[in-house]
Amino acid sequence: EIVMTQSPATLSVSPGEKATLSCRASQGVTSNLAWYQQKTGQAPRLLISSASTRATGIPARFSGSGYGTEFTLTISSLQSEDFALYYCQQYNNWPLTFGGGTKVEIK
Amino acid sequence: EVQLLESGGGLVQPGGSLRLSCAASGFTFSAYAMGWVRQAPGKGLEWVSAITGTGSATDHADSVKGRFTISRDSSQNTVYLQMNNLRADDTAVYYCAKRSAESYGHFDSWGQGTLVTVSS
């Protein structure tokens, strides 16, 4: 099983600042990596697939990068609606696995 | 617009059974794989089961293998999760999710979830 490790667990950021979230895979997953956003009481929402492709309707302030084992989600200028939980997920190998999540909170 | 509507959750005793349903609309149902992902209270996301668009192949997480079965009915545009021999650690919100291709891919659409509580 590929273990996905996200860091940090919690990120405190002021509105308007940049947030950088990391996701590491225990073995290579090529670019088969997705990022999801989850707000309290809501279902997850796809942000990024194939490591760097924004989903339909996702603002350009969200960007993804990386390949193999190291991946990054960057939010260029945090808006109030961006404070949430973020999960990475690999879909290169069975079983599909998620990271433990990064909570982005208001500083 | 893709819509996924889960139903069938509820309170069940340990060792009991439940069948979850996920009614899908807004896309060509048989062209996409589907899956179930769960989230225990206060915890992260855990993939549970997946099925290809044609229903020819399925897979389950080790934690549910032998107890849960995923299936789909293309005439009803519905995916099911039959859950048997339920345990307390199966307590979670269960999300139905559409994958991005017929047999693989990320989850590009999610339902709102249905809560399963296993308790005596």
Side-chain angles (χ1 to χ4, degrees), chain A residues 7 20 23 30 43 45 48 58-59 63 66-67 74 76 80-81 85 89-90 92 94-97 107:
Chain A
S7 60
T20 303
C23 176
T30 65
R45 176 176 72 147
I48 301 281
I58 301 303
S63 63
Y67 184 90
T74 301
S76 59
S80 57
E81 62 267 30
L85 266 167
Q89 181 230 338
Q90 68 81 20
N92 196 65
W94 296 101
L96 309 178
T97 48
K107 186 174 182 180

Side-chain angles (χ1 to χ4, degrees), chain B residues 56-74:
Chain B
S56 60
T58 63
D59 204 356
H60 300 81
D62 284 347
S63 58
V64 307
K65 205 164 283 187
R67 300 187 299 123
F68 290 13
T69 303
I70 189 172
S71 62
R72 64 192 297 159
D73 182 345
S74 292

Side-chain angles (χ1 to χ4, degrees), chain A residues 29-84:
Chain A
V29 298
T30 65
S31 60
N32 291 322
L33 189 286
W35 290 94
Y36 303 91
Q37 177 193 67
Q38 187 179 34
K39 298 180 180 179
T40 302
Q42 296 185 17
R45 176 176 72 147
L46 175 68
L47 296 176
I48 301 281
S49 63
S50 301
S52 61
T53 302
R54 270 191 309 277
T56 303
I58 301 303
R61 63 180 182 272
F62 290 91
S63 63
S65 63
Y67 184 90
T69 61
E70 300 283 343
F71 300 88
T72 300
L73 175 68
T74 301
I75 312 171
S76 59
S77 177
L78 272 154
Q79 306 298 301
S80 57
E81 62 267 30
D82 301 335
F83 292 96

Side-chain angles (χ1 to χ4, degrees), chain A residues 1 32-34 36 38 41-46 48-50 85 87 89 91 94-100, chain B residues 37 39 43-47 50 59-62 95 99-100 103-113:
Chain A
E1 173 176 322
N32 291 322
L33 189 286
Y36 303 91
Q38 187 179 34
Q42 296 185 17
R45 176 176 72 147
L46 175 68
I48 301 281
S49 63
S50 301
L85 266 167
Y87 293 96
Q89 181 230 338
Y91 50 95
W94 296 101
L96 309 178
T97 48
F98 291 87
Chain B
V37 175
Q39 186 169 37
K43 302 298 184 182
L45 301 171
E46 178 190 17
W47 167 73
D59 204 356
H60 300 81
D62 284 347
Y95 294 103
R99 299 191 74 181
S100 57
S103 61
Y104 60 91
H106 55 277
F107 295 110
D108 60 10
S109 298
W110 298 65
Q112 283 305 299

